[in-house]
Amino acid sequence: MLPGMKPILEILGQVSFLEGAGEPVLRELAGLMDEKIYLRNEVLFLDGDSPKGLFVVRHGAVKIYKIGDKGREQILEIEGPGRSVAELPLFDGRPYPASAAALEDAAVLILPASTFHRLLDRHPEISRAVIASIAGRLRKMVALVEEVSLKAVRERLSAVFLEMAGDDDTFDLTWTNQEIAARIGTVREIVSRTMARMAHDGAIQMDGRRVIILDRDRL
């Protein structure tokens, strides 16, 4: 068990399409799921693999990513505790359209595909909620395409920093510059230069891998 993990029922209650499910359904689901620890960079599934089941992150973080023809990685999404991973192949039966791997050491709950379908047969209301969840993911993908296509690297990096900081002005940068580059659709060297320019402009201060936001307007 990884330190700081939340109870399984609490995690399942945070999954978007299970928020309205009662405790009996969550307990039933918890009893059907297996749990696996994935170490940093360990693969859950690869682009083109057959659907394995429903994955729910209990602890840590999982990245969903694509690898281009030249080996460049593009991170499509990062899922943390209480987030499900790749539901779509469970419905259309087609291979995974992207790969998934642990961005950091992660505990993942796994429900086999056949068990997931039996659960939906008994609780059709969950099917409707899953469809709404998939629609939300589609909207996020559209936003990602817009961001990568239309926004400058500095804008994209600023958005990542503000997301990591939340309401604080200081945060630890747990991702490598390569991982940040993969998230915002650029290369490591440009991320490093952009961070240096932000520091030069007085927007941030770097203390090792700790980022201090000095002026949000200058980001």
Side-chain angles (χ1 to χ4, degrees), residues 37-203:
I37 303 297
Y38 290 88
L39 301 180
R40 179 180 173 86
N41 294 324
E42 189 174 355
V43 171
L44 282 71
F45 54 80
L46 292 172
D47 188 347
D49 283 353
S50 299
K52 297 180 178 180
L54 175 69
F55 295 84
V56 175
V57 182
R58 182 181 181 187
H59 183 82
V62 170
K63 64 178 179 180
I64 314 300
Y65 64 97
K66 294 280 287 186
I67 299 294
D69 293 339
K70 297 182 179 179
R72 180 171 157 184
E73 178 182 284
Q74 171 69 56
I75 295 179
L76 304 176
E77 187 58 275
I78 295 172
E79 308 290 11
R83 296 283 294 177
S84 58
V85 176
E87 307 96 331
L88 180 59
L90 292 173
F91 283 86
D92 65 12
R94 299 179 64 184
Y96 290 112
S99 302
L103 186 61
E104 58 190 62
D105 292 353
V108 179
L109 302 170
I110 307 169
L111 185 69
S114 58
T115 307
F116 178 71
H117 290 137
R118 288 197 297 270
L119 181 74
L120 294 184
D121 288 340
R122 292 195 300 274
H123 303 285
E125 69 278 7
I126 295 179
S127 296
R128 293 189 290 271
V130 174
I131 291 171
S133 176
I134 292 173
R137 290 190 186 280
L138 176 58
R139 292 181 183 277
K140 292 188 72 173
M141 287 299 103
V142 172
L144 176 62
V145 170
E146 178 184 13
E147 180 179 285
V148 172
S149 302
L150 302 178
K151 292 185 179 179
V153 170
R154 181 155 176 165
E155 287 183 88
R156 305 199 301 262
L157 182 58
S158 297
V160 169
F161 280 3
L162 291 173
E163 181 181 345
M164 289 181 169
D167 295 329
D168 298 324
D169 286 328
T170 301
F171 63 95
D172 291 324
L173 202 55
T174 57
W175 303 354
T176 67
N177 286 9
Q178 179 62 50
E179 289 167 341
I180 295 171
R183 181 67 181 91
I184 66 175
T186 186
V187 295
R188 183 184 66 250
E189 293 78 10
I190 293 180
V191 168
S192 299
R193 288 201 296 269
T194 304
M195 289 169 62
R197 174 57 63 181
M198 286 177 167
H200 179 269
D201 292 345

Side-chain angles (χ1 to χ4, degrees), residues 17-50:
F17 56 83
L18 294 175
E19 289 178 348
E23 185 173 332
V25 175
L26 296 182
R27 288 192 178 278
E28 177 186 359
L29 184 58
L32 297 170
M33 302 187 90
D34 296 320
E35 183 171 13
K36 182 176 179 179
I37 303 297
Y38 290 88
L39 301 180
R40 179 180 173 86
N41 294 324
E42 189 174 355
V43 171
L44 282 71
F45 54 80
L46 292 172
D47 188 347
D49 283 353
S50 299

